[in-house]
Amino acid sequence: MLLRPARLAALLLLLTGGVAIVTLLLGVGSGWRDVLAGDPFAIELITRLRAPRLLTAMAAGCVLAVAGAAMQAQFRNPLAEPGLIGVSSGAALGAALALSLGAGGWIVALVSFAGALLASTVAQRIAGLRAGTADLLLAGVAVNSFAGAALTLIITFADDRTLRGITFWLLGSFTLADWPMALSLLAIAALITLWIWRCWPLLNTLLLGERVAFHTGFDPASERRKLTILTAAAVGITVAAVGTISFVGLIVPHILRRLSGGHYRTLIPLTALGGAFALALADLVARQVMPPNELPVGAITSLAGAPFFLWLLRGRRSA
């Protein structure tokens, strides 16, 4: 069933707004009454903890979903996703390596970007530009396995402080979110969404093949390199900030492609909204399933994404 993009966008905005209200007010005294009454504790809780965490989750979801949509056009494969083809693992490995050497801040983000870029390039070279689903997934398995082995070695020789930090990158969480992180990720989310949205004619033609893209005036090799660098940078910085969160870039674009028809001019903004909603909801679930304990957000998305991925893979094989 196809929906008009405007209606679908309005629905996503409504759902995201509902999750945002619940996230901000759930467990805050009497909820909105305390906020309207000017209760200092309620206002402090929302402005210093809940709001930056919510915005960080929404920005991260936007980046991962839009990056996934771009990769699916770049690889001409609807199963391409930062986590499945090793980009997230490469970013996590870079961040863990920087942490083990005592680095912090933007150095971690830069090394994470380098790891994501290297993983994306290696997966693309292994699979080949005209690879089928099996080739791409096998390339992702190889990259993920290497990154996992390297992370195991780093963890083995890490001290307790570094080990706690590395564990954070592996599981994915928004517990360290603050206003600088939220504003930085929001800026990155806005930039990548705008940049990739402006590339919608290229993304549509890449789905039809390199020959079609060349005859419509694009240089496929050059444009693929630009997309690789852009998506790796966005995913690398996001992983450096909130850790590894998989399957958002697979689930969100696929569902919205089926609902909207798949034209990238409308799919990119819809995917940005859908990603923001998905991770805001996942973070809300992670905080409420076992209170006062908090589950890793990456575990929530993987629990939802792994069966979805297997269903997609089975459907493609039966087709």
Side-chain angles (χ1 to χ4, degrees):
M1 180 182 68
L2 295 180
L3 297 176
R4 292 182 180 179
R7 291 185 178 180
L8 190 53
L11 177 61
L12 289 172
L13 286 172
L14 182 63
L15 292 173
T16 306
V19 171
I21 292 173
V22 174
T23 297
L24 293 176
L25 298 181
L26 186 64
V28 182
S30 300
W32 61 270
R33 293 185 180 87
D34 285 349
V35 177
L36 293 179
D39 180 71
F41 174 77
I43 294 176
E44 186 81 358
L45 179 62
I46 290 176
T47 56
R48 296 197 61 179
L49 296 177
R50 297 280 180 88
R53 178 170 179 148
L54 172 65
L55 293 176
T56 299
M58 293 172 65
C62 173
V63 171
L64 295 175
V66 170
M71 286 181 177
Q72 288 163 14
Q74 177 187 352
F75 287 95
R76 295 180 58 197
N77 195 316
L79 299 181
E81 193 264 345
L84 291 177
I85 65 174
V87 178
S88 295
S89 296
L93 175 59
L97 181 61
L99 283 173
S100 66
L101 297 176
W106 284 102
I107 296 179
V108 175
L110 289 174
V111 180
S112 181
F113 156 63
L117 180 60
L118 179 61
S120 180
T121 302
V122 170
Q124 187 167 319
R125 292 293 179 87
I126 292 176
L129 294 179
R130 299 178 181 178
T133 300
D135 297 320
L136 182 60
L137 295 181
L138 288 174
V141 168
V143 174
N144 282 321
S145 298
F146 176 82
L151 280 168
T152 301
L153 291 176
I154 294 175
I155 291 173
T156 301
F157 295 102
D159 55 32
D160 290 341
R161 180 182 177 184
T162 304
L163 182 59
R164 286 194 296 270
I166 293 175
T167 303
F168 165 79
W169 306 119
L170 293 179
L171 298 178
S173 176
F174 302 117
T175 55
L176 300 181
D178 54 16
W179 279 112
M181 180 187 294
L183 295 177
S184 298
L185 282 182
L186 282 173
I188 292 169
L191 287 174
I192 188 176
T193 301
L194 179 60
W195 187 307
I196 293 182
W197 177 77
R198 293 181 61 185
C199 296
W200 67 263
L202 167 67
L203 298 174
N204 281 335
T205 54
L206 282 177
L207 288 174
L208 300 176
E210 290 186 46
R211 182 172 298 179
V212 174
F214 177 79
H215 286 295
T216 52
F218 296 107
D219 182 352
S222 175
E223 298 298 340
R224 285 180 187 275
R225 284 193 295 269
K226 292 178 183 177
L227 285 173
T228 298
I229 294 173
L230 179 63
T231 54
V235 172
I237 294 173
T238 302
V239 170
V242 302
T244 305
I245 300 175
S246 300
F247 291 107
V248 176
L250 173 70
I251 297 175
V252 174
H254 189 86
I255 292 176
L256 293 176
R257 185 180 289 109
R258 289 199 169 191
L259 292 176
S260 67
H263 195 292
Y264 269 85
R265 185 176 185 179
T266 56
L267 181 62
I268 294 300
L270 289 174
T271 299
L273 292 174
F277 164 70
L279 265 197
L281 179 61
D283 186 45
L284 178 62
V285 172
R287 291 192 298 110
Q288 298 302 319
V289 169
M290 298 177 61
N293 298 320
E294 179 180 317
L295 296 178
V297 177
I300 299 297
T301 59
S302 294
L303 285 173
F308 186 86
F309 168 70
L310 292 175
W311 174 72
L312 285 179
L313 190 60
R314 181 180 179 183
R316 287 179 62 83
R317 293 186 65 180
S318 62

